Amino acid sequence: GTPHPPARPEITLPIRGRPLRDRYVLRLIAVDRLIHVLLLTAVAVVLFVVAGHKATLQTDFNRIVDALQAGGGAPVSRHGVLGKLRSIFKVTPAHLREAAGVVLAYGVLEAAEMVGLWFARRWAEYLTFLATVALVPFEVYEMSKAVSALKLVTLILNLAIVVYLLLAKRLFGLRGTQGLSSRTGIIP
């Protein structure tokens, strides 16, 4: 040990105040992106499996639907879970694989956002802003067709993320850039 305290530059102080709040908010958004990555990966896997085993799965599906209807069930409509499943079987395996590839690519984008946000990288803030803003028109369109609690919560959450990144993180020079460290985007 040394008989005297270390010099000021040698001391690492814990972050406090606004930088600490920013870290928590960015990590909360990163957790949201983790959930997206898990869901998108699951959807991609299901699409790949259906594409690879379409004939067998369609035969099994038809047997189940026939058994349900023979047992006094109502005919399968275009709406509802069985109707949605039936519509998947109308899509070619090639299109299912393409859709799975797109879903997987979007999952990779979300994973990049997640990692970058977790480590408070400035590029991840911009990437998250752009990716989130790009989806807002689709969410608004979906809300115009049918409103649901999940769609509403998703839209509000994404708009909150966009506003937070624009204002609190001062993306694109909004609200000026005074006081921001050019490397981290955190006020010293």
Side-chain angles (χ1 to χ4, degrees), residues 114-126:
M114 175 190 67
V115 171
L117 289 171
W118 189 264
F119 293 107
R121 299 295 186 247
R122 189 72 170 162
W123 59 263
E125 295 168 4
Y126 280 100

Side-chain angles (χ1 to χ4, degrees), residues 49-130:
V49 168
V50 170
H53 301 87
K54 184 177 178 222
T56 305
L57 290 170
Q58 186 166 9
T59 302
D60 292 344
F61 175 78
N62 289 338
R63 271 197 309 232
I64 291 169
V65 168
D66 292 343
L68 287 173
Q69 288 176 342
V76 176
S77 71
R78 288 182 292 150
H79 309 291
V81 175
L82 293 178
K84 298 290 184 193
L85 285 173
R86 178 164 278 161
S87 68
I88 289 175
F89 290 114
K90 293 179 182 175
V91 180
T92 66
H95 285 118
L96 288 171
R97 282 190 289 278
E98 287 172 8
V102 168
V103 169
L104 201 55
Y106 188 64
V108 169
L109 172 72
E110 294 274 311
E113 289 177 39
M114 175 190 67
V115 171
L117 289 171
W118 189 264
F119 293 107
R121 299 295 186 247
R122 189 72 170 162
W123 59 263
E125 295 168 4
Y126 280 100
L127 180 61
T128 301
F129 172 82
L130 294 172

